[in-house]
Amino acid sequence: MSYTVGTYLAERLAQIGLKHHFAVAGDYNLVLLDQLLMNKECEQVYCCNELNCGFSAEGYARANGAGAAVVTFSVGALSALNAIGGAYAENLPVILISAAPNSNDHGSGHILHHTIGTTDYSYQLQIAEKLTCAAVSITSAEDAPEKIDHAIRTALREKKPAYIEIACNVSAEPCAAPGPISAVVDAPASNKATLDAAVKAVADFIEKHEKPAILVGSRLRAAGAEEAAVKLADALGCVVATMAAAKSFFPEDHPSYVGTYWGSASTPGVNEIFNWTDSIIALAPIFNDYSTEGWTAWPQGPNVAVLDKNITKLHGYAFDNIHLKELLEALAEYFKNKPKKDSTLVQYKRVHTERTVETTGKGDDVLTRADIQQTLQSLVTPETTIVGETGDSWFNVMRTRLPRGARVELEMQWGHIGWSVPAAFGYAVGAPERRTILMVGDGSFQLTAQEVAQMIRRKLPVIIFLINNAGYTIEVEIHDGPYNNIKNWDYAGIISAFNAEDGKGKGLRAKTAGELADAVKVALENKEGPTLIECVIPRDDCTSELISWGRHVATANGRPPAK
Ligand code: TPU
Ligand code: MG
């Protein structure tokens, strides 16, 4: 079989497990799209715009380990690069593939359409270099294989996005056949001597403390260390909490699991036990202003060991070039038959109180946030994935208890409102066997609403809870002003516009508890498209966690310049 640059790329995408790639057409990439279409193992899925295309690939990567988006030069790619920044922040290997000007035009002095109107076309590559772990420009077929392999290999190893730019006249050029995929996907093992030294240092750290606790962070999945973390928890017997962005990265039915650690927004009892502990083993955490609640809940200092994806740092030590998974497995083995380090769990059981169950309405009672959260809770099964948008959705999702197997997807490091609609689309394409539930605010929805049309096109039964609280409530709680008011839409009505003549999406509005219950029944029966339930609640009907967290974040934002 003979290959072209485009079919080589398609085969590599299929070999790394992509059954789909996302695309928006443009004249620079049409030949490339033709080449990609020839590979029947990796279906082309279309998006409404390139920002959504990037986020769809990002959501797909969450379901499937990696994702790819194919766009046209500049007008397309510059929009997609926002989502690529997101993939970098969220540690997801998304391959952005952009078509580029004809190889003869580089350095020719020609001015081309879709460009900024100068004759140097390297600007897009330069921007991409800042936002990816590997960025390559392919202007000849000879060096295409090594450049494609380098970009994909680096992305998979680092769990970061990569960028491949292909001159539009090169994608159909003949090229070498792909070699064994193991050259791309096999990762080198940890440095053995460093791993041994790290195991000893962390074991000493744990042994010299009486009251250790494990804190699970959001890079744990990227580190491939979720199961290894459970083994360590089993071996130690101490409490385990997840950071907000790591919700669902540790089984919530595990006997050591206590909930979310997030300062005042923690699950009841968790902040208290983390104040009581004398040492924290933090697994792949991201400590930023949001996750530390405006730097007020930031575990640091000599009693905190930070075990990250490839680097471990604790008082007096720094080890790199080791895999977290191997480190945790070795530690679990070391502690397996030793007396349990379970004093935090014993103390937690003494002091914690369950969250009181909130009153919910029925029948004609005016709909409340609590009704929505309890409804979400009632729908969660082991096959469910909840995609939670920035806003009070974060805090509602955080309150939801997960049976084993249920997953949550959040984008807390990048925090681009509107991310969740295309990401839920991409996720549902990548995991059709799961039930995808999207929880999104009205303000966020207005950024990327059109991607619901792609859920309709592909008949994906995503359930969308759209919280219509008449504005940017999360911003209201941080700092209010007229800029937090938005134009109301007929959100439920939008679905019939998207359906046009053939779609099977459903849009329903709930203003009472009874209407919400009825809408959910409709949603569960609709298997041929998404169901959007517009939940109308008052502007200030939000979680207490949002209020307290918002106040801390506002204080951190408002610090005066240091003198
Ligand atoms: O539940 P609620 O009302 O807080 O959510 P909603 O309605 O989705 O409002 C979100 C408000 C919001 C904004 C405007 N959250 N963060 N921002 C700032 C922001 C602006 N632009 C982008 C792309 N991302 C952002 N996070
Ligand atoms: Mg809102």
Side-chain angles (χ1 to χ4, degrees):
M1 182 181 164
S2 61
Y3 282 85
T4 65
V5 172
T7 58
Y8 182 101
L9 173 61
E11 182 143 328
R12 281 308 196 212
L13 295 180
Q15 285 174 328
I16 65 164
L18 304 198
K19 295 192 176 65
H20 308 85
H21 59 275
F22 296 85
V24 179
D27 58 357
Y28 287 110
N29 75 11
L30 300 177
V31 174
L32 173 61
L33 293 178
D34 286 341
Q35 297 294 311
L36 297 176
L37 279 171
M38 286 179 202
N39 189 317
K40 302 298 173 213
E41 308 293 309
C42 188
E43 191 186 343
Q44 209 158 77
V45 177
Y46 306 107
C47 295
C48 296
N49 65 47
E50 286 83 354
L51 174 66
N52 292 354
C53 186
F55 281 140
S56 299
E58 194 261 26
Y60 188 87
R62 289 166 182 268
N64 212 44
V70 188
V71 298
T72 196
F73 194 63
S74 271
V75 290
L78 292 191
S79 296
L81 280 166
N82 187 325
I84 292 303
Y88 200 101
E90 301 290 323
N91 302 291
L92 293 160
V94 176
I95 318 293
L96 176 63
I97 299 151
S98 174
N102 184 298
S103 60
N104 300 302
D105 287 324
H106 291 267
S108 67
H110 294 164
I111 293 181
L112 297 172
H113 74 287
H114 288 352
T115 73
I116 58 174
T118 58
T119 55
D120 177 356
Y121 305 121
S122 62
Y123 62 91
Q124 184 171 304
L125 178 66
Q126 288 175 29
I127 297 169
E129 280 167 356
K130 301 275 186 208
L131 298 173
T132 60
C133 65
V136 296
S137 170
I138 296 171
T139 50
S140 81
E142 285 74 51
D143 53 5
E146 70 196 72
K147 286 183 174 174
I148 291 170
D149 284 5
H150 167 69
I152 296 176
R153 177 190 301 122
T154 313
L156 293 181
R157 266 184 206 170
E158 298 194 12
K159 298 288 190 280
K160 296 285 184 191
Y163 172 77
I164 301 172
E165 168 181 302
I166 307 178
C168 60
N169 59 331
V170 169
S171 23
E173 285 291 296
C175 129
I181 189 62
S182 52
V184 177
V185 297
D186 283 1
S190 296
N191 177 275
K192 180 78 174 71
T194 314
L195 181 63
D196 291 346
V199 171
K200 177 161 188 331
V202 179
D204 285 352
F205 171 88
I206 295 171
E207 278 175 336
K208 79 171 191 246
H209 287 98
E210 295 298 319
K211 307 185 279 183
I214 294 175
L215 181 61
V216 171
S218 60
R219 261 196 289 261
L220 190 71
R221 172 166 64 183
E226 287 169 283
E227 284 173 20
V230 175
K231 287 186 193 155
L232 180 63
D234 289 339
L236 292 180
C238 65
V239 296
V240 181
T242 41
M243 293 178 70
K247 174 109 177 146
S248 84
F249 289 6
F250 191 89
E252 298 199 352
D253 63 351
H254 190 280
S256 296
Y257 184 73
V258 293
T260 305
Y261 173 69
W262 200 3
S264 72
S266 300
T267 310
V270 173
N271 205 15
E272 291 77 357
I273 203 67
F274 272 75
N275 288 335
W276 189 79
T277 178
D278 67 358
S279 53
I280 294 175
I281 307 150
L283 309 183
I286 297 181
F287 295 126
N288 66 17
D289 51 344
Y290 274 17
S291 71
T292 64
E293 219 190 17
W295 310 117
T296 61
W298 182 7
Q300 53 178 339
N303 295 327
V304 179
V306 177
L307 283 49
D308 211 337
K309 182 171 169 285
N310 299 111
I311 302 177
T312 282
K313 287 186 189 165
L314 63 167
H315 193 53
Y317 297 100
F319 304 99
D320 72 352
N321 203 11
I322 53 173
H323 295 302
L324 180 60
K325 175 174 182 288
E326 292 171 26
L327 174 62
L328 298 184
E329 281 171 351
L331 286 167
E333 205 46 44
Y334 178 89
F335 282 103
K336 201 167 73 180
N337 297 319
K338 296 208 169 8
K340 293 278 172 268
K341 283 272 187 182
D342 59 359
S343 57
T344 45
L345 192 57
V346 172
Q347 180 70 357
Y348 170 80
K349 286 180 180 156
R350 291 189 192 113
V351 299
H352 98 287
T353 47
E354 288 295 330
R355 187 192 296 283
T356 45
V357 179
E358 292 177 298
T359 319
T360 50
K362 53 178 185 307
D364 292 338
D365 291 346
V366 170
L367 189 68
T368 64
R369 180 208 58 75
D371 294 328
I372 304 168
Q373 197 270 326
Q374 294 287 317
T375 303
L376 174 67
Q377 181 70 66
S378 72
L379 289 176
V380 181
T381 67
E383 291 77 37
T384 301
T385 297
I386 307 171
V387 180
E389 180 62 87
T390 297
D392 200 28
S393 298
W394 276 350
F395 299 89
N396 282 300
V397 171
M398 218 49 64
R399 283 191 182 198
T400 308
R401 292 177 314 280
L402 305 176
R404 194 169 284 230
R407 304 291 307 192
V408 164
E409 297 296 340
L410 303 161
E411 195 223 29
M412 286 191 159
Q413 175 58 35
W414 194 237
H416 185 303
I417 57 169
W419 154 83
S420 67
V421 181
F425 167 59
Y427 193 98
V429 171
E433 71 289 356
R434 295 186 66 82
R435 175 189 286 164
T436 304
I437 300 182
L438 165 59
M439 195 170 208
V440 56
D442 47 357
S444 300
F445 185 76
Q446 291 197 358
L447 275 84
T448 51
Q450 64 276 69
E451 229 51 29
V452 175
Q454 303 298 353
M455 299 177 188
I456 293 174
R457 186 182 194 180
R458 292 189 67 91
K459 300 188 165 36
L460 297 169
V462 178
I463 300 177
I464 305 171
F465 289 99
L466 186 141
I467 318 303
N468 183 351
N469 56 8
Y472 298 152
T473 294
I474 187 170
E475 301 281 292
V476 171
E477 304 310 327
I478 293 175
H479 183 125
D480 201 8
Y483 33 75
N484 292 329
N485 302 328
I486 61 175
K487 168 76 183 78
N488 192 33
W489 289 6
D490 177 359
Y491 298 99
I494 249 178
I495 301 299
S496 65
F498 286 158
N499 277 339
E501 58 286 341
D502 57 350
K504 298 274 166 47
K506 288 194 157 58
L508 304 148
R509 181 174 298 113
K511 290 183 160 183
T512 65
E515 285 169 358
L516 178 60
D518 292 343
V520 165
K521 284 187 202 126
V522 174
L524 290 174
E525 271 161 29
N526 183 13
K527 305 273 188 263
E528 288 197 275
T531 303
L532 183 151
I533 307 174
E534 177 185 345
C535 304
V536 183
I537 58 171
R539 182 176 163 110
D540 286 320
D541 186 2
C542 64
T543 58
S544 54
E545 293 90 308
L546 173 61
I547 297 171
S548 64
W549 175 89
R551 198 185 56 235
H552 283 107
V553 169
T555 306
N557 280 346
R559 283 166 302 163
K563 290 272 183 320

